[in-house]
């Protein structure tokens, strides 16, 4: 009926008005014109649209963070797979001035060790190198070997 529709419209526009039978400014349902009801509906739709747009912005921001994390995870996965393929790679070292050669597999064999971390593939660009391009480790050679 028209009265229940008006009541619904007022409830949409003003939650308190729906509970006490009056809308904005103490107006009762029977006093509200169709223009006033239309204005209330338009106002409510506008508020709902703003809330939906805000929620959409929030979802887009979260989506961006997730995309950045996915990209970082894929990059890490590529490095790990590349390292798995390079375990037999010979690594040239300069240990305290003494040149040594070994495989990456040997350097990463003790899981959780400093050497395993250094040669895991995550820090390849951070190694200090000597003039010949060997990775320099400032360690006493007899203790290292």
């Amino acid at each position: 009926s028209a009265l229940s529709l008006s009541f619904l419209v007022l409830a949409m526009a003003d939650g308190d008005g729906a509970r006490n039978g009056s809308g904005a400014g103490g107006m009762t349902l029977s006093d509200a014109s169709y223009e006033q009801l239309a204005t209330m509906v338009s106002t409510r739709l506008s508020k709902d649209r703003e809330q939906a747009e805000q929620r959409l912005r929030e979802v887009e921001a979260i989506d961006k963070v997730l995309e950045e994390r996915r990209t970082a995870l894929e990059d890490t996965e590529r490095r790990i797979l590349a390292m798995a393929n390079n375990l037999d790679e010979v690594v040239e070292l300069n240990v305290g001035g003494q040149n040594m050669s070994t495989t990456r597999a040997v350097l990463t064999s003790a899981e959780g060790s400093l050497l395993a971390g250094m040669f895991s593939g995550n820090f390849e660009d951070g190694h200090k190198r000597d003039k010949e391009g060997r990775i320099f480790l400032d360690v006493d050679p007899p203790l290292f070997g």
Side-chain angles (χ1 to χ4, degrees), residues 7 19 56 69 139:
F7 188 79
R19 283 189 289 279
L56 180 61
R69 288 181 180 176
V139 179

Side-chain angles (χ1 to χ4, degrees), residues 101-119:
S101 298
T102 189
T103 63
R104 187 175 298 273
V106 169
L107 293 169
T108 59
S109 62
E111 287 187 36
S113 69
L114 178 62
L115 284 176
M118 287 176 64
F119 293 96

Side-chain angles (χ1 to χ4, degrees), residues 50-63:
E50 289 173 18
Q51 289 176 348
E53 289 171 355
Q54 176 62 30
R55 288 183 183 145
L56 180 61
R57 286 190 293 273
E58 292 169 1
V59 167
E60 288 171 345
I62 291 169
D63 190 44

Side-chain angles (χ1 to χ4, degrees), residues 13 37-50:
L37 292 174
T39 299
M40 287 187 261
V41 169
S42 294
T43 301
R44 180 57 189 249
L45 288 173
S46 177
K47 286 180 185 179
D48 288 348
R49 187 177 299 115
E50 289 173 18

Side-chain angles (χ1 to χ4, degrees), residues 32-104:
S33 69
Y34 286 111
E35 290 80 19
Q36 290 168 325
L37 292 174
T39 299
M40 287 187 261
V41 169
S42 294
T43 301
R44 180 57 189 249
L45 288 173
S46 177
K47 286 180 185 179
D48 288 348
R49 187 177 299 115
E50 289 173 18
Q51 289 176 348
E53 289 171 355
Q54 176 62 30
R55 288 183 183 145
L56 180 61
R57 286 190 293 273
E58 292 169 1
V59 167
E60 288 171 345
I62 291 169
D63 190 44
K64 181 179 178 183
V65 169
L66 288 174
E67 179 62 26
E68 290 169 357
R69 288 181 180 176
R70 185 187 63 77
T71 301
L73 183 61
E74 287 175 352
D75 185 46
T76 301
E77 181 182 30
R78 270 193 298 279
R79 285 196 312 262
I80 289 171
L81 291 175
M83 291 310 305
N85 293 334
N86 292 331
L87 286 178
D88 293 332
E89 172 189 6
V90 175
V91 179
E92 299 293 329
L93 303 170
N94 175 341
V95 181
Q98 184 176 353
N99 296 335
M100 296 183 182
S101 298
T102 189
T103 63
R104 187 175 298 273

